[in-house]
Amino acid sequence: MAGTEPKDFFKQRRSAPEIKEEIFLRFFTVWAETLFSTQTPPEKVLLVDASAGAAGPEEGGMPVAGKLLKSIFATSGGRPDLNKAVHPFFYEGNKSLASSLPDALENLFFYPDLQHKPVYLQTKENLEAFQEELTQDVPALYFLDPFGNRFSQELWLQGIGQENADFLMLFEYKRLAAALGKSDDQSNLAAFLGERFSRLKAFFAKTSSAAKKETFALKTLEEALQEKGLQTSRFRVNVPGKDQSSHYLLFLSRSYLAHTRFKELLLPYSDVQEDGVPLLGANLKAVRLLVPEYSKYLEFSLVNLVDDLLQNAAEYNSMVLDKIYEKHNVGKNYCKANYQTAFEKLKEQGKITLLNPKTGQVVYKLTSACRIKFKPNGSV
Protein backbone atom coordinates (compact mmCIF):
# COMPACT_ATOMS: atom_id res chain seq x y z
CA MET A 1 0.00 0.00 0.00
CA ALA A 2 1.21 3.51 -0.71
CA GLY A 3 3.06 4.99 2.25
CA THR A 4 3.28 1.70 4.16
CA GLU A 5 6.72 0.29 4.92
CA PRO A 6 7.07 -3.46 4.35
CA LYS A 7 7.93 -4.06 8.02
CA ASP A 8 4.63 -2.42 9.01
CA PHE A 9 2.38 -3.80 6.26
CA PHE A 10 1.12 -6.87 8.13
CA LYS A 11 0.81 -5.13 11.49
CA GLN A 12 -2.85 -4.64 10.64
CA ARG A 13 -5.04 -7.44 9.36
CA ARG A 14 -5.01 -7.60 5.57
CA SER A 15 -7.51 -9.00 3.10
CA ALA A 16 -6.51 -11.25 0.21
CA PRO A 17 -6.91 -8.42 -2.37
CA GLU A 18 -4.67 -6.16 -0.26
CA ILE A 19 -1.97 -8.86 -0.02
CA LYS A 20 -2.29 -9.57 -3.72
CA GLU A 21 -1.81 -5.91 -4.61
CA GLU A 22 1.15 -5.52 -2.26
CA ILE A 23 3.01 -8.74 -3.09
CA PHE A 24 1.91 -10.12 -6.45
CA LEU A 25 2.23 -6.83 -8.32
CA ARG A 26 5.85 -6.59 -7.18
CA PHE A 27 6.62 -10.25 -7.63
CA PHE A 28 5.31 -10.44 -11.18
CA THR A 29 7.89 -7.85 -12.26
CA VAL A 30 10.69 -9.65 -10.37
CA TRP A 31 9.62 -13.02 -11.81
CA ALA A 32 9.54 -11.66 -15.37
CA GLU A 33 12.97 -10.02 -15.02
CA THR A 34 14.38 -13.32 -13.75
CA LEU A 35 12.82 -15.20 -16.65
CA PHE A 36 14.14 -12.77 -19.26
CA SER A 37 17.64 -12.69 -17.74
CA THR A 38 18.34 -16.16 -19.13
CA GLN A 39 20.45 -16.70 -22.25
CA THR A 40 17.37 -17.58 -24.31
CA PRO A 41 14.52 -15.22 -23.27
CA PRO A 42 11.06 -16.57 -24.15
CA GLU A 43 9.03 -15.07 -26.96
CA LYS A 44 5.74 -15.84 -25.23
CA VAL A 45 4.74 -15.88 -21.55
CA LEU A 46 1.36 -16.72 -20.03
CA LEU A 47 0.04 -14.74 -17.07
CA VAL A 48 -2.91 -16.49 -15.42
CA ASP A 49 -4.80 -14.56 -12.73
CA ALA A 50 -7.62 -16.64 -11.25
CA SER A 51 -8.91 -13.89 -8.95
CA ALA A 52 -8.82 -11.09 -11.48
CA GLY A 53 -11.92 -9.25 -10.29
CA ALA A 54 -10.54 -8.52 -6.84
CA ALA A 55 -10.04 -4.81 -6.24
CA GLY A 56 -7.55 -3.11 -3.99
CA PRO A 57 -8.56 -1.18 -0.87
CA GLU A 58 -9.34 2.07 -2.67
CA GLU A 59 -13.06 2.60 -3.23
CA GLY A 60 -13.70 2.53 -6.97
CA GLY A 61 -9.98 2.16 -7.67
CA MET A 62 -8.34 0.27 -10.51
CA PRO A 63 -8.66 -3.52 -10.13
CA VAL A 64 -5.41 -5.27 -9.28
CA ALA A 65 -5.70 -7.00 -12.66
CA GLY A 66 -5.68 -3.54 -14.25
CA LYS A 67 -2.53 -2.64 -12.36
CA LEU A 68 -0.95 -5.85 -13.65
CA LEU A 69 -1.81 -4.83 -17.20
CA LYS A 70 -0.43 -1.36 -16.54
CA SER A 71 2.89 -2.84 -15.38
CA ILE A 72 3.00 -4.87 -18.60
CA PHE A 73 2.24 -1.82 -20.75
CA ALA A 74 4.91 0.22 -18.93
CA THR A 75 7.66 -2.02 -20.35
CA SER A 76 6.71 -1.35 -23.99
CA GLY A 77 9.84 -1.08 -26.11
CA GLY A 78 12.09 -1.96 -23.19
CA ARG A 79 14.13 -4.98 -22.19
CA PRO A 80 12.22 -7.04 -21.41
CA ASP A 81 9.23 -5.92 -23.46
CA LEU A 82 6.44 -7.64 -21.53
CA ASN A 83 3.81 -5.91 -23.65
CA LYS A 84 5.12 -7.91 -26.58
CA ALA A 85 5.55 -11.23 -24.75
CA VAL A 86 2.89 -11.57 -22.05
CA HIS A 87 -0.50 -13.11 -22.85
CA PRO A 88 -2.91 -12.48 -19.92
CA PHE A 89 -5.68 -14.94 -19.01
CA PHE A 90 -8.16 -13.86 -16.35
CA TYR A 91 -10.78 -15.66 -14.29
CA GLU A 92 -13.05 -14.45 -11.50
CA GLY A 93 -15.31 -16.77 -9.49
CA ASN A 94 -17.63 -14.00 -8.30
CA LYS A 95 -20.19 -13.56 -11.11
CA SER A 96 -20.85 -9.90 -10.34
CA LEU A 97 -17.14 -9.02 -10.37
CA ALA A 98 -16.56 -11.18 -13.44
CA SER A 99 -19.26 -9.40 -15.43
CA SER A 100 -17.97 -5.91 -14.58
CA LEU A 101 -14.27 -6.65 -15.07
CA PRO A 102 -14.04 -6.34 -18.90
CA ASP A 103 -15.61 -2.87 -18.92
CA ALA A 104 -13.40 -1.74 -16.05
CA LEU A 105 -10.26 -2.81 -17.90
CA GLU A 106 -11.31 -1.62 -21.36
CA ASN A 107 -11.78 1.91 -19.99
CA LEU A 108 -8.16 2.14 -18.86
CA PHE A 109 -6.19 4.71 -20.89
CA PHE A 110 -3.50 2.26 -22.00
CA TYR A 111 -5.84 -0.62 -22.89
CA PRO A 112 -5.90 0.06 -26.69
CA ASP A 113 -2.09 -0.17 -26.75
CA LEU A 114 -1.88 -3.59 -25.12
CA GLN A 115 -0.55 -5.99 -27.72
CA HIS A 116 -2.35 -8.93 -26.11
CA LYS A 117 -5.74 -8.16 -24.60
CA PRO A 118 -6.82 -10.30 -21.64
CA VAL A 119 -8.71 -13.48 -22.41
CA TYR A 120 -11.48 -14.28 -19.91
CA LEU A 121 -11.69 -17.95 -18.96
CA GLN A 122 -15.40 -17.84 -18.07
CA THR A 123 -16.44 -18.94 -21.57
CA LYS A 124 -15.99 -22.40 -23.07
CA GLU A 125 -14.44 -20.96 -26.24
CA ASN A 126 -11.81 -18.97 -24.35
CA LEU A 127 -11.06 -21.89 -22.05
CA GLU A 128 -10.41 -24.10 -25.06
CA ALA A 129 -8.09 -21.44 -26.49
CA PHE A 130 -6.21 -21.41 -23.20
CA GLN A 131 -5.93 -25.20 -23.18
CA GLU A 132 -4.39 -24.97 -26.64
CA GLU A 133 -1.81 -22.48 -25.34
CA LEU A 134 -0.83 -24.95 -22.62
CA THR A 135 0.10 -27.58 -25.20
CA GLN A 136 2.97 -25.30 -26.27
CA ASP A 137 4.44 -25.55 -22.74
CA VAL A 138 5.61 -21.93 -22.69
CA PRO A 139 6.59 -20.23 -19.39
CA ALA A 140 3.59 -19.33 -17.25
CA LEU A 141 2.92 -17.67 -13.92
CA TYR A 142 -0.34 -18.48 -12.15
CA PHE A 143 -1.83 -16.46 -9.31
CA LEU A 144 -4.63 -18.36 -7.59
CA ASP A 145 -6.23 -19.70 -4.45
CA PRO A 146 -6.33 -23.46 -5.11
CA PHE A 147 -8.95 -23.91 -2.40
CA GLY A 148 -11.08 -20.88 -3.25
CA ASN A 149 -13.32 -22.49 -5.88
CA ARG A 150 -13.52 -25.61 -8.03
CA PHE A 151 -12.25 -23.93 -11.20
CA SER A 152 -9.12 -22.57 -9.50
CA GLN A 153 -8.37 -25.98 -8.04
CA GLU A 154 -8.75 -27.69 -11.43
CA LEU A 155 -6.58 -24.99 -13.02
CA TRP A 156 -3.91 -25.56 -10.39
CA LEU A 157 -3.94 -29.36 -10.58
CA GLN A 158 -3.71 -29.23 -14.35
CA GLY A 159 -1.00 -26.58 -14.36
CA ILE A 160 1.41 -28.35 -11.99
CA GLY A 161 2.02 -30.88 -14.73
CA GLN A 162 3.45 -28.16 -16.99
CA GLU A 163 7.25 -28.12 -16.96
CA ASN A 164 7.52 -24.32 -17.22
CA ALA A 165 4.62 -23.30 -14.97
CA ASP A 166 5.19 -21.36 -11.74
CA PHE A 167 2.53 -20.60 -9.14
CA LEU A 168 2.05 -17.95 -6.49
CA MET A 169 -0.74 -19.27 -4.28
CA LEU A 170 -2.50 -17.09 -1.70
CA PHE A 171 -4.90 -18.94 0.57
CA GLU A 172 -6.30 -19.30 4.08
CA TYR A 173 -5.74 -22.54 5.97
CA LYS A 174 -9.44 -22.81 6.83
CA ARG A 175 -10.18 -23.13 3.10
CA LEU A 176 -7.58 -25.87 2.75
CA ALA A 177 -9.11 -27.69 5.73
CA ALA A 178 -12.61 -27.28 4.25
CA ALA A 179 -11.45 -28.63 0.87
CA LEU A 180 -9.93 -31.67 2.57
CA GLY A 181 -13.11 -32.22 4.57
CA LYS A 182 -15.29 -32.16 1.46
CA SER A 183 -13.00 -34.42 -0.58
CA ASP A 184 -13.42 -38.18 -0.77
CA ASP A 185 -11.13 -40.89 -2.13
CA GLN A 186 -12.39 -40.25 -5.68
CA SER A 187 -11.77 -36.49 -5.68
CA ASN A 188 -9.13 -34.66 -7.70
CA LEU A 189 -7.44 -33.49 -4.49
CA ALA A 190 -7.21 -37.08 -3.23
CA ALA A 191 -5.75 -38.20 -6.57
CA PHE A 192 -3.13 -35.46 -6.33
CA LEU A 193 -2.15 -36.32 -2.75
CA GLY A 194 -2.14 -40.08 -3.37
CA GLU A 195 -1.54 -42.20 -0.28
CA ARG A 196 -0.91 -39.00 1.68
CA PHE A 197 -4.64 -38.26 1.50
CA SER A 198 -5.60 -41.22 3.72
CA ARG A 199 -2.74 -40.44 6.12
CA LEU A 200 -3.94 -36.85 6.36
CA LYS A 201 -7.52 -37.95 7.04
CA ALA A 202 -6.32 -40.38 9.72
CA PHE A 203 -4.16 -37.71 11.37
CA PHE A 204 -7.08 -35.28 11.46
CA ALA A 205 -9.35 -37.95 12.98
CA LYS A 206 -7.00 -38.75 15.89
CA THR A 207 -5.61 -35.24 16.57
CA SER A 208 -7.51 -32.61 18.51
CA SER A 209 -4.90 -29.83 18.24
CA ALA A 210 -5.87 -27.37 15.50
CA ALA A 211 -2.26 -26.10 15.30
CA LYS A 212 -0.87 -29.62 14.77
CA LYS A 213 -3.46 -30.30 12.07
CA GLU A 214 -2.49 -27.10 10.27
CA THR A 215 1.24 -27.87 10.45
CA PHE A 216 0.74 -31.44 9.20
CA ALA A 217 -1.60 -30.38 6.37
CA LEU A 218 0.86 -27.76 5.05
CA LYS A 219 3.77 -30.19 5.31
CA THR A 220 1.78 -32.90 3.48
CA LEU A 221 0.79 -30.49 0.71
CA GLU A 222 4.38 -29.36 0.17
CA GLU A 223 5.72 -32.93 0.16
CA ALA A 224 3.23 -33.88 -2.56
CA LEU A 225 4.28 -30.87 -4.64
CA GLN A 226 7.99 -31.58 -4.15
CA GLU A 227 7.43 -35.17 -5.25
CA LYS A 228 6.24 -33.76 -8.59
CA GLY A 229 9.47 -31.83 -9.01
CA LEU A 230 8.26 -28.46 -7.73
CA GLN A 231 10.30 -26.68 -5.08
CA THR A 232 8.21 -24.79 -2.51
CA SER A 233 8.75 -21.52 -0.61
CA ARG A 234 6.24 -20.59 2.08
CA PHE A 235 5.48 -17.30 3.83
CA ARG A 236 3.02 -17.38 6.74
CA VAL A 237 1.00 -14.35 7.83
CA ASN A 238 -0.50 -14.47 11.31
CA VAL A 239 -3.42 -12.42 12.58
CA PRO A 240 -1.83 -9.43 14.38
CA GLY A 241 -1.46 -10.18 18.09
CA LYS A 242 -2.58 -13.81 17.78
CA ASP A 243 -0.85 -17.16 17.29
CA GLN A 244 -3.26 -17.91 14.44
CA SER A 245 -2.64 -17.88 10.70
CA SER A 246 -4.42 -15.41 8.48
CA HIS A 247 -2.98 -16.27 5.06
CA TYR A 248 -0.24 -18.29 3.41
CA LEU A 249 1.78 -17.32 0.37
CA LEU A 250 3.18 -20.44 -1.29
CA PHE A 251 5.43 -20.16 -4.34
CA LEU A 252 5.96 -23.21 -6.56
CA SER A 253 8.67 -23.42 -9.19
CA ARG A 254 11.39 -25.66 -10.55
CA SER A 255 13.70 -22.63 -10.76
CA TYR A 256 16.11 -22.12 -7.85
CA LEU A 257 16.71 -18.52 -8.91
CA ALA A 258 12.97 -17.71 -8.97
CA HIS A 259 12.66 -19.06 -5.41
CA THR A 260 15.61 -16.95 -4.29
CA ARG A 261 14.06 -13.81 -5.78
CA PHE A 262 10.69 -14.61 -4.17
CA LYS A 263 12.33 -14.91 -0.76
CA GLU A 264 14.37 -11.72 -1.24
CA LEU A 265 11.18 -9.83 -2.11
CA LEU A 266 9.52 -10.98 1.12
CA LEU A 267 12.45 -10.54 3.51
CA PRO A 268 11.55 -6.90 4.32
CA TYR A 269 8.10 -8.12 5.47
CA SER A 270 9.47 -10.96 7.59
CA ASP A 271 10.07 -11.24 11.30
CA VAL A 272 13.63 -12.26 12.28
CA GLN A 273 14.89 -14.43 15.12
CA GLU A 274 17.69 -13.43 17.47
CA ASP A 275 20.54 -14.86 15.38
CA GLY A 276 19.45 -12.96 12.27
CA VAL A 277 17.73 -15.86 10.48
CA PRO A 278 14.39 -14.77 8.98
CA LEU A 279 11.22 -16.54 10.14
CA LEU A 280 9.67 -16.12 6.66
CA GLY A 281 6.46 -14.90 8.15
CA ALA A 282 4.79 -11.90 9.72
CA ASN A 283 3.42 -11.52 13.25
CA LEU A 284 5.17 -14.72 14.33
CA LYS A 285 6.61 -15.30 17.79
CA ALA A 286 10.34 -16.03 17.70
CA VAL A 287 11.69 -18.54 20.22
CA ARG A 288 13.79 -16.84 22.90
CA LEU A 289 17.37 -18.12 22.86
CA LEU A 290 18.18 -18.02 26.56
CA VAL A 291 21.63 -19.45 25.80
CA PRO A 292 23.29 -19.68 22.35
CA GLU A 293 23.36 -23.49 22.50
CA TYR A 294 19.55 -23.56 22.23
CA SER A 295 19.76 -22.43 18.61
CA LYS A 296 20.74 -25.93 17.46
CA TYR A 297 17.26 -27.13 18.42
CA LEU A 298 15.59 -24.65 16.06
CA GLU A 299 14.65 -25.78 12.56
CA PHE A 300 16.79 -23.01 11.06
CA SER A 301 19.64 -21.21 12.83
CA LEU A 302 23.13 -19.95 12.07
CA VAL A 303 24.60 -22.86 14.04
CA ASN A 304 22.60 -25.33 11.97
CA LEU A 305 23.52 -23.56 8.72
CA VAL A 306 27.24 -23.88 9.47
CA ASP A 307 26.82 -27.57 10.33
CA ASP A 308 24.70 -28.24 7.22
CA LEU A 309 27.25 -26.62 4.91
CA LEU A 310 30.04 -28.71 6.46
CA GLN A 311 28.05 -31.93 6.21
CA ASN A 312 27.38 -31.26 2.51
CA ALA A 313 30.84 -29.91 1.72
CA ALA A 314 31.32 -32.31 -1.19
CA GLU A 315 28.24 -30.94 -2.94
CA TYR A 316 29.25 -27.29 -2.61
CA ASN A 317 33.04 -27.58 -2.75
CA SER A 318 34.69 -25.08 -5.13
CA MET A 319 31.41 -23.31 -5.86
CA VAL A 320 31.08 -19.53 -5.76
CA LEU A 321 29.34 -18.25 -2.62
CA ASP A 322 26.47 -16.76 -4.67
CA LYS A 323 25.82 -20.14 -6.31
CA ILE A 324 25.93 -21.98 -2.97
CA TYR A 325 23.38 -19.51 -1.62
CA GLU A 326 21.14 -19.87 -4.67
CA LYS A 327 21.19 -23.67 -4.54
CA HIS A 328 21.10 -24.21 -0.78
CA ASN A 329 18.56 -21.62 0.38
CA VAL A 330 15.49 -23.01 -1.43
CA GLY A 331 13.01 -24.45 1.04
CA LYS A 332 14.96 -22.96 3.94
CA ASN A 333 14.67 -19.66 5.82
CA TYR A 334 18.26 -18.49 5.36
CA CYS A 335 19.02 -15.18 3.63
CA LYS A 336 22.20 -14.16 1.83
CA ALA A 337 23.54 -12.32 4.89
CA ASN A 338 23.27 -15.59 6.86
CA TYR A 339 25.55 -17.31 4.34
CA GLN A 340 28.06 -14.48 4.57
CA THR A 341 28.12 -14.89 8.37
CA ALA A 342 28.31 -18.69 8.18
CA PHE A 343 31.29 -18.64 5.83
CA GLU A 344 33.02 -16.01 7.95
CA LYS A 345 32.71 -18.43 10.88
CA LEU A 346 34.05 -21.33 8.79
CA LYS A 347 36.95 -19.14 7.66
CA GLU A 348 37.76 -18.22 11.27
CA GLN A 349 37.68 -21.93 12.17
CA GLY A 350 40.11 -22.71 9.33
CA LYS A 351 37.67 -25.07 7.63
CA ILE A 352 37.53 -23.31 4.26
CA THR A 353 39.87 -21.48 1.90
CA LEU A 354 38.71 -18.52 -0.19
CA LEU A 355 39.78 -18.45 -3.82
CA ASN A 356 39.66 -15.84 -6.55
CA PRO A 357 37.03 -17.22 -8.99
CA LYS A 358 39.11 -16.33 -12.08
CA THR A 359 42.71 -17.01 -11.06
CA GLY A 360 42.22 -19.62 -8.34
CA GLN A 361 44.58 -17.70 -6.05
CA VAL A 362 43.95 -17.57 -2.31
CA VAL A 363 42.21 -14.41 -1.11
CA TYR A 364 41.45 -13.32 2.44
CA LYS A 365 38.38 -11.10 2.11
CA LEU A 366 35.06 -12.90 1.77
CA THR A 367 32.81 -11.61 -1.02
CA SER A 368 29.80 -13.09 -2.77
CA ALA A 369 32.03 -13.85 -5.79
CA CYS A 370 34.57 -15.90 -3.79
CA ARG A 371 35.03 -19.55 -4.64
CA ILE A 372 34.73 -21.63 -1.48
CA LYS A 373 37.19 -24.50 -1.04
CA PHE A 374 36.32 -26.80 1.86
CA LYS A 375 39.32 -28.38 3.54
CA PRO A 376 39.31 -32.21 3.87
CA ASN A 377 37.40 -33.27 7.00
CA GLY A 378 37.19 -29.60 7.98
CA SER A 379 40.85 -29.70 9.04
CA VAL A 380 42.91 -26.58 9.63
Side-chain angles (χ1 to χ4, degrees):
M1 308 293 106
T4 304
E5 292 293 325
K7 63 184 177 64
D8 297 324
F9 178 75
F10 288 111
K11 287 184 179 179
Q12 67 182 79
R13 190 160 188 169
R14 297 293 185 177
S15 66
E18 287 178 302
I19 298 173
K20 178 186 179 184
E21 179 170 359
E22 178 74 11
I23 305 299
F24 185 57
L25 275 178
R26 299 184 185 194
F27 180 64
F28 170 66
T29 301
V30 171
W31 178 85
E33 289 173 350
T34 302
L35 185 66
F36 281 86
S37 67
T38 59
Q39 291 183 343
T40 54
E43 295 182 1
K44 178 188 286 189
V45 176
L46 307 185
L47 172 62
V48 186
D49 184 351
S51 59
E58 302 92 354
E59 187 70 28
M62 185 187 300
V64 180
K67 294 181 180 181
L68 274 171
L69 294 178
K70 186 178 180 181
S71 70
I72 292 170
F73 168 72
T75 66
S76 300
R79 292 187 180 181
D81 187 340
L82 302 184
N83 193 19
K84 183 178 180 181
V86 175
H87 294 244
F89 292 86
F90 290 162
Y91 176 82
E92 172 54 55
N94 181 296
K95 291 184 179 179
S96 175
L97 291 175
S99 63
S100 63
L101 183 62
D103 285 342
L105 297 183
E106 288 168 17
N107 287 326
L108 297 173
F109 73 90
F110 56 84
Y111 189 87
D113 295 316
L114 288 174
Q115 291 197 31
H116 307 287
K117 307 295 192 291
V119 175
Y120 301 96
L121 298 178
Q122 265 78 9
T123 70
K124 181 180 179 180
E125 180 183 0
N126 287 351
L127 188 56
E128 289 175 350
F130 173 67
Q131 302 288 353
E132 180 62 28
E133 291 282 2
L134 293 183
T135 63
Q136 301 177 41
D137 204 22
V138 298
L141 178 62
Y142 291 72
F143 178 86
L144 48 75
D145 176 353
F147 314 109
N149 55 63
R150 183 176 177 179
F151 180 85
S152 292
Q153 186 173 117
E154 291 175 351
L155 196 66
W156 168 59
L157 292 173
Q158 179 186 34
I160 56 178
Q162 300 290 319
E163 185 70 23
N164 293 312
D166 292 352
F167 300 82
L168 182 53
M169 297 156 43
L170 173 63
F171 61 92
E172 299 176 57
Y173 167 69
K174 65 181 181 181
R175 286 191 169 183
L176 167 57
L180 290 169
K182 293 176 183 177
S183 300
D184 56 30
D185 293 341
Q186 306 303 313
S187 66
N188 290 334
L189 191 56
F192 164 69
L193 292 173
E195 63 179 16
R196 291 184 176 86
F197 182 73
S198 57
R199 293 208 305 266
L200 194 54
K201 287 280 193 179
F203 185 87
F204 273 37
K206 70 180 183 181
T207 305
S208 58
S209 168
K212 288 182 179 179
K213 289 180 180 179
E214 184 168 346
T215 299
F216 189 75
L218 268 293
K219 181 181 178 182
T220 300
L221 175 64
E222 290 187 84
E223 286 177 347
L225 290 162
Q226 291 162 5
E227 190 175 75
K228 296 185 182 300
L230 287 158
Q231 299 293 327
T232 62
S233 293
R234 186 203 314 173
F235 189 90
R236 172 173 171 152
V237 179
N238 271 8
V239 176
K242 295 185 178 181
D243 189 16
Q244 171 192 340
S245 69
S246 167
H247 291 85
Y248 285 95
L249 281 158
L250 188 62
F251 178 57
L252 316 177
S253 177
R254 292 170 174 81
S255 165
Y256 283 86
L257 182 57
H259 278 283
T260 300
R261 297 294 177 259
F262 172 74
K263 180 190 292 186
E264 289 173 344
L265 177 73
L266 284 167
L267 285 177
Y269 299 88
S270 179
D271 297 328
V272 180
Q273 62 193 32
E274 290 179 21
D275 63 353
V277 174
L279 294 174
L280 284 193
N283 304 320
L284 307 185
K285 293 182 179 178
V287 176
R288 289 289 308 278
L289 300 177
L290 300 179
V291 293
E293 290 75 16
Y294 282 11
S295 62
K296 67 181 179 181
Y297 299 108
L298 300 175
E299 184 176 8
F300 302 107
S301 68
L302 274 178
V303 169
N304 292 340
L305 175 57
V306 170
D307 288 345
D308 194 24
L309 291 169
L310 278 177
Q311 289 172 14
N312 294 282
E315 182 177 356
Y316 301 111
N317 193 35
S318 293
M319 289 178 65
V320 172
L321 191 157
D322 265 350
K323 290 298 181 183
I324 297 175
Y325 160 60
E326 183 182 316
K327 186 174 182 180
H328 184 272
N329 87 94
V330 177
K332 305 175 183 70
N333 285 17
Y334 305 119
C335 63
K336 190 171 183 178
N338 298 149
Y339 289 85
Q340 293 274 0
T341 303
F343 281 117
E344 286 286 5
K345 290 183 179 296
L346 289 171
K347 177 174 172 285
E348 291 171 6
Q349 295 166 9
K351 294 180 179 179
I352 61 171
T353 301
L354 308 180
L355 303 176
N356 182 299
K358 295 181 179 179
T359 66
Q361 293 178 316
V362 174
V363 295
Y364 299 96
K365 183 178 180 181
L366 179 67
T367 68
S368 60
C370 280
R371 194 170 295 281
I372 308 296
K373 182 73 174 177
F374 287 84
K375 294 184 178 180
N377 301 317
S379 59
V380 178

